[in-house]
Amino acid sequence: RKEVEQDPGPFNVPEGATVAFNCTYSNSASQSFFWYRQDCRKEPKLLMSVYSSGNEDGRFTAQLNRASQYISLLIRDSKLSDSATYLCVVDNFGNEKLTFGTGTRLTIIP
Amino acid sequence: DGGITQSPKYLFRKEGQNVTLSCEQNLNHDAMYWYRQDPGQGLRLIYYSQIVNDFQKGDIAEGYSVSREKKESFPLTVTSAQKNPTAFYLCASSMGVPPDTQYFGPGTRLTVL
């Protein structure tokens, strides 16, 4: 099993729709989880951290399910500017590293 | 303006040549990292440094070398021993080691001709 696994997509979603991605991780001891956004040929940028209780930032909601070892990202009322690749990132507890998923590509269609 | 800078943005190299990629940060972060990204793959860790004058190999260190003589700077040398160096190279920094959030520079796209 890969350490961090994401559906690569692409997800093609009409503007205004709601879209959700999941990401599974293998290390049950992992403590920290993040979603990064990466635009084409640019660097990844932090979108949000994921807390145990779940957290929301405007149209974005992140949730953690420890029992099933996955995190999710929900985007409501999607905008054209949301088109990007979304990277799931998990700490590799015990070896001071972060593990990056390969990303889920999202395209918002007008 | 606080941030991480990388130079150059694009770099072309002939086979057999060593090349050094620059990474500078003025965020006063202790930890710095080098990753490479290839199409369809996640970021892979090359080297990281938690403190000045100390660094550790990541998952794919072969063919690369680094130095950390100053807190602000963490240059990466891609040597001729790296068999497939064409990639997008990303430098990142964080206040401390993971799970601290990492912030990325704009990247250097290296092409070997």
Side-chain angles (χ1 to χ4, degrees):
Chain A
R1 184 181 177 181
K2 284 187 183 176
E3 291 178 70
V4 175
E5 202 149 4
Q6 296 183 250
D7 182 340
F11 284 58
N12 297 316
V13 172
E15 193 175 4
T18 295
V19 60
F21 317 129
N22 279 351
C23 164
T24 57
Y25 61 94
S26 61
N27 187 344
S28 59
S30 293
Q31 298 293 317
S32 298
F33 310 89
F34 308 91
W35 283 104
Y36 278 73
R37 170 200 168 119
Q38 186 174 25
D39 292 294
C40 190
R41 301 178 74 81
K42 300 280 191 182
E43 76 273 24
K45 292 186 177 176
L46 179 69
L47 180 65
M48 56 200 308
S49 301
V50 186
Y51 304 122
S52 295
S53 54
N55 48 305
E56 190 174 308
D57 183 2
R59 298 182 293 108
F60 298 84
T61 300
Q63 295 204 309
L64 166 64
N65 184 316
R66 283 196 186 275
S68 301
Q69 293 181 214
Y70 74 85
I71 64 172
S72 63
L73 178 67
L74 180 81
I75 306 174
R76 288 181 299 278
D77 186 24
S78 52
K79 313 286 185 196
L80 296 176
S81 57
D82 294 334
S83 297
T85 296
Y86 291 83
L87 305 178
C88 169
V89 184
V90 178
D91 82 288
N92 211 335
F93 183 79
N95 69 6
E96 300 171 337
K97 296 177 189 174
L98 294 180
T99 301
F100 288 76
T102 54
T104 296
R105 202 163 91 193
L106 172 67
T107 301
I108 305 301
I109 303 164
Chain B
D1 264 345
I4 306 172
T5 56
Q6 291 186 243
S7 62
K9 190 170 181 179
Y10 298 97
L11 187 57
F12 297 89
R13 183 195 100 174
K14 291 183 180 178
E15 275 192 36
Q17 288 181 334
N18 291 357
V19 63
T20 297
L21 281 56
S22 165
C23 177
E24 305 275 333
Q25 54 98 359
N26 61 4
L27 300 167
N28 200 32
H29 284 172
D30 287 316
M32 297 186 74
Y33 311 83
W34 275 104
Y35 294 90
R36 90 174 253 168
Q37 187 175 36
D38 296 280
Q41 296 196 39
L43 275 68
R44 291 184 290 167
L45 183 64
I46 304 172
Y47 268 97
Y48 64 104
S49 167
Q50 299 175 21
I51 196 169
V52 174
N53 291 324
D54 189 40
F55 48 82
Q56 287 77 39
K57 291 182 180 180
D59 301 316
I60 54 164
E62 185 176 348
Y64 300 97
S65 66
V66 293
S67 62
R68 186 89 186 274
E69 296 174 3
K70 298 187 299 181
K71 187 175 184 177
E72 303 80 19
S73 179
F74 191 41
L76 173 76
T77 297
V78 184
T79 75
S80 55
Q82 169 48 233
K83 296 194 187 326
N84 187 19
T86 294
F88 187 37
Y89 289 87
L90 289 156
C91 178
S93 70
S94 64
M95 188 66 73
V97 296
D100 275 358
T101 304
Q102 294 182 16
Y103 298 92
F104 287 85
T108 292
R109 205 163 287 275
L110 173 65
T111 303
V112 174
L113 304 171

